[in-house]
Amino acid sequence: MADEKMFCFQCEQTAGCKACTGNAGVCGKPFDVALAQDELTGALVGLARTCRVAGTRSEAADELTVDGLFTCVTNVDFDIEAVNAITERVRAERDRLAAERGVRPAVDLQMGGLWSADEDVRSLKSLVLFGIRGMAAYAYHARVLGRRSERVDAFFSKALALLGDELTVPELLPLALEVGEVNLECMGMLDEANTSTYGTPTPTEVPLAVEPGPFIVVSGHDLRDLDLILQQTDGTGVSVYTHGEMLPAHAYPRLKAHPQLKGNFGTAWQNQRTEFDAIPAPVVFTTNCLMPPKASYSDRVFTTEMVAYPGLRHIDGDANEKDFTPVIERAKELGGYATRQERHGINGGTTVTTGFSHGAVLSVADKVVDAVKSGQLNHIFLVGGCDGARPGRNYYTEFVRQTPKDSAVLTLACGKYRFNDLDLGTVAGLPRLMDVGQCNDAYGAIQIAVALAKAFDCGVNDLPLSFVLSWYEQKAVCILLTLLHLGIKGIKLGPTLPAFVSPNVLKVLVDQYGIAPTTTPEADLAELLA
């Protein structure tokens, strides 16, 4: 590995909008971890090709595939030992399966060959790879709640095996769209898992202040980890606050039934190094986006599941038996704040509202339809996606701020922190700003759009509905592919276009789907409302 060079361009903040190639990525990932993740990816391809030759997959192979792909998502795993451990398990399962079926195990894919391939082939294979990495996160969260899909598991193996084949651009384009198709099923599976376990989310106002006394901050996306922490803090006097993508948990009836679930701490993931500085409480990262912690609070950061960072305490255990006692005891030791801490969103608001799931919105679908038909509601904007540190993301704040008063804004994922504390008022008796949930709740936004199209007997592209998206990492990639699979056109994407999309591939996206970069709020609003 010593002679290899780091090459990573899977996230939006990649160096120079080209690729991270030095000693560390902009995300803080060291070059040796980047190379180890390439080695893990190559081993996953070897496992998938072995399954193809053997004509079968194993449950262990399916689980290791999801775990391995999820490990390589940006800001998940910075620990080379943890990455290498998964790689060895992948190879062991490959060899075991090959021996059982009497076939020769396939060799690992050398990722350097992919990164140096013809730029259009590299672009499309990267689109597929990054898309299935994002989808793996959703499959993992669903599996934690006992949900699996044969189609989803089979597709992971199929896509990985094909990454090792000599494929042409015409062969790779439909594979990329198939990622979007299967991801729709995967997000639907996770939606069903979440709602059947924790109830249908309902609109809920969430305070940003922090009350006196010991508390725990829980970040990430995994509702099961939050559920366990809430169960284990019942009656302890320790409060629980969400952070980042965990905010929508407040809207689930069975989670908000715990009185110690008090509010939301801080804003989006990229502000954590400031907001967690000297925090008198432990923080638990259940999924990305973990940033390398500062010394001022690293002694109170815990990781779990696939998240890992050298020197941080990791909470092991399966989804039903995990013990968060060390976190609870640390919260009691630190004691929290002595007095109530008033905190604000980036626009000065003191509360945010979440929980406008497809179940909640469709329960008042008749009001939405009547408002559109009567002319009270003239446009709906879906402004969602990832937040990030690159300059220019205030575009989304200004875009939402400038939307007409006879329009509504649906939002989801952590990009909403740019504007979710704004008071936009109401339109036709409905809130103008509606937080649908986490990034996987793009499924819910799609269900809302499809239901409206059915009500108006038209296609989604014929609705007064516009998509203005921000991206950062691989879950945004698979969601974009889902929207393209559904034929959604005219998407605005920013703050930059993906570095891994070649000019020729971009031309296809522009010609077939009208996808375009964001420009200015004023110009984009004028175009979308024309």
Side-chain angles (χ1 to χ4, degrees):
M1 200 180 288
D3 295 332
E4 296 183 70
K5 294 182 180 179
M6 174 181 181
F7 181 89
C8 185
F9 62 172
Q10 70 174 2
C11 83
E12 186 268 338
Q13 68 180 10
T14 193
C17 293
K18 294 181 179 179
C20 292
T21 58
N23 292 325
V26 175
C27 68
K29 178 171 60 181
F31 82 96
D32 58 343
V33 175
L35 294 176
Q37 290 181 348
D38 274 0
E39 188 175 353
L40 169 56
T41 303
L44 290 171
V45 174
L47 172 60
R49 297 177 83 178
T50 301
C51 289
R52 184 170 65 184
V53 172
T56 189
R57 307 184 330 273
S58 63
E59 182 175 348
D62 287 344
E63 292 188 359
L64 283 167
T65 296
V66 169
D67 293 355
L69 288 169
F70 189 7
T71 293
C72 295
V73 171
T74 304
N75 293 84
V76 170
D77 196 331
F78 296 80
D79 189 337
I80 191 169
E81 292 185 3
V83 176
N84 288 339
I86 297 177
T87 303
E88 291 308 309
R89 290 168 57 204
V90 168
R91 288 172 174 157
E93 179 58 21
R94 174 202 63 190
D95 294 345
R96 187 203 66 78
L97 186 62
E100 178 182 88
R101 303 296 291 188
V103 300
R104 178 174 297 185
V107 298
D108 295 352
L109 177 67
Q110 299 303 306
M111 296 299 290
L114 172 57
W115 304 141
S116 60
D118 168 82
E119 72 168 352
D120 294 332
V121 170
R122 180 183 74 172
S123 178
L124 286 167
K125 283 192 173 183
S126 296
L127 197 58
V128 171
L129 174 60
F130 302 156
I132 61 175
R133 282 178 177 174
M135 184 166 64
Y138 300 147
Y140 184 95
H141 297 320
R143 191 180 83 202
V144 164
L145 294 176
R147 304 303 194 278
R148 299 281 290 269
S149 162
E150 167 59 24
R151 185 189 184 199
V152 171
D153 286 340
F155 182 74
F156 282 130
S157 189
K158 169 189 171 180
L160 282 165
L162 288 173
L163 288 178
D165 292 352
E166 296 292 332
L167 299 178
T168 63
V169 167
E171 292 171 317
L172 285 166
L173 278 168
L175 180 62
L177 292 178
E178 192 176 358
V179 174
E181 179 183 4
V182 179
N183 182 57
L184 181 62
E185 178 172 326
C186 189
M187 290 193 299
M189 175 175 64
L190 178 54
D191 177 84
E192 189 278 330
N194 285 337
T195 55
S196 64
T197 305
Y198 301 116
T200 299
T202 57
T204 303
E205 186 176 66
V206 182
L208 302 182
V210 180
E211 300 296 333
F215 66 98
I216 297 168
V217 175
V218 185
S219 188
H221 305 69
D222 201 304
L223 298 182
R224 180 54 176 158
D225 284 322
L226 177 64
D227 181 17
L228 290 174
I229 291 171
L230 288 170
Q231 291 181 39
Q232 293 174 32
T233 52
D234 278 337
T236 64
V238 175
S239 299
V240 178
Y241 292 81
T242 56
H243 171 263
E245 283 270 59
M246 197 62 79
L247 165 64
H250 290 272
Y252 286 89
R254 293 177 193 171
L255 294 176
K256 67 180 180 179
H258 295 270
Q260 73 271 28
L261 182 61
K262 296 291 189 180
N264 191 70
F265 184 96
T267 53
W269 68 271
Q270 76 277 1
N271 300 320
Q272 65 188 257
R273 284 169 60 87
T274 298
E275 294 176 344
F276 293 163
D277 191 39
I279 180 177
V283 181
V284 180
F285 280 89
T286 68
T287 54
N288 64 325
C289 292
L290 170 69
M291 295 179 71
K294 295 167 67 174
S296 63
Y297 66 86
S298 62
D299 65 333
R300 58 206 70 181
V301 178
F302 294 78
T303 60
T304 191
E305 304 293 348
M306 307 316 300
V307 190
Y309 192 91
L312 299 185
R313 294 189 63 179
H314 191 79
I315 303 295
D316 287 315
D318 66 29
N320 296 308
E321 298 180 358
K322 203 178 297 183
D323 184 2
F324 285 98
T325 298
V327 182
I328 298 169
E329 293 304 315
R330 189 71 176 120
K332 292 178 178 178
E333 291 171 8
L334 292 166
Y337 294 109
T339 59
R340 175 184 168 93
Q341 302 293 301
E342 299 295 341
R343 302 180 66 90
H344 305 84
I346 67 168
N347 301 291
T350 58
T351 64
V352 293
T353 301
T354 189
F356 291 94
S357 65
H358 64 97
V361 174
L362 294 180
S363 69
V364 294
D366 55 334
K367 294 182 180 179
V368 177
V369 171
D370 289 345
V372 174
K373 288 181 176 179
S374 67
Q376 297 179 74
L377 176 60
N378 284 315
H379 208 90
I380 299 173
F381 298 94
L382 175 61
V383 187
C386 311
D387 205 351
R390 191 186 296 278
R393 287 183 179 267
N394 59 329
Y395 163 94
Y396 297 94
T397 309
E398 291 308 312
F399 184 96
V400 170
R401 198 191 303 271
Q402 294 178 35
T403 53
K405 295 187 182 299
D406 61 353
S407 68
V409 177
L410 298 177
T411 189
L412 52 86
C414 63
K416 62 176 165 271
Y417 281 104
R418 293 282 169 170
F419 49 79
N420 68 339
D421 64 324
L422 290 174
D423 182 4
L424 298 185
T426 61
V427 56
L430 301 168
R432 284 196 56 226
L433 179 60
M434 291 178 273
D435 177 9
V436 179
Q438 296 182 341
C439 58
N440 55 279
D441 289 310
Y443 175 81
I446 290 169
Q447 299 311 305
I448 293 170
V450 169
L452 289 176
K454 183 177 180 181
F456 286 100
D457 193 24
C458 67
V460 172
N461 288 316
D462 300 316
L463 291 170
L465 172 65
S466 300
F467 292 78
V468 183
L469 307 180
S470 56
W471 82 284
Y472 171 71
E473 45 92 330
Q474 296 76 65
K475 283 174 279 186
V477 174
C478 65
I479 290 171
L480 176 63
L481 290 173
T482 294
L483 295 175
L484 298 182
H485 155 70
L486 292 169
I488 305 299
K489 296 184 177 180
I491 297 170
K492 295 287 185 183
L493 182 65
T496 63
L497 293 178
F500 55 82
V501 175
S502 68
N504 287 332
V505 172
L506 178 60
K507 186 176 187 304
V508 171
L509 297 180
V510 171
D511 292 347
Q512 294 189 14
Y513 300 99
I515 194 168
T518 54
T519 59
T520 67
E522 295 80 7
D524 289 347
L525 276 167
E527 178 186 342
L528 295 172
L529 292 169

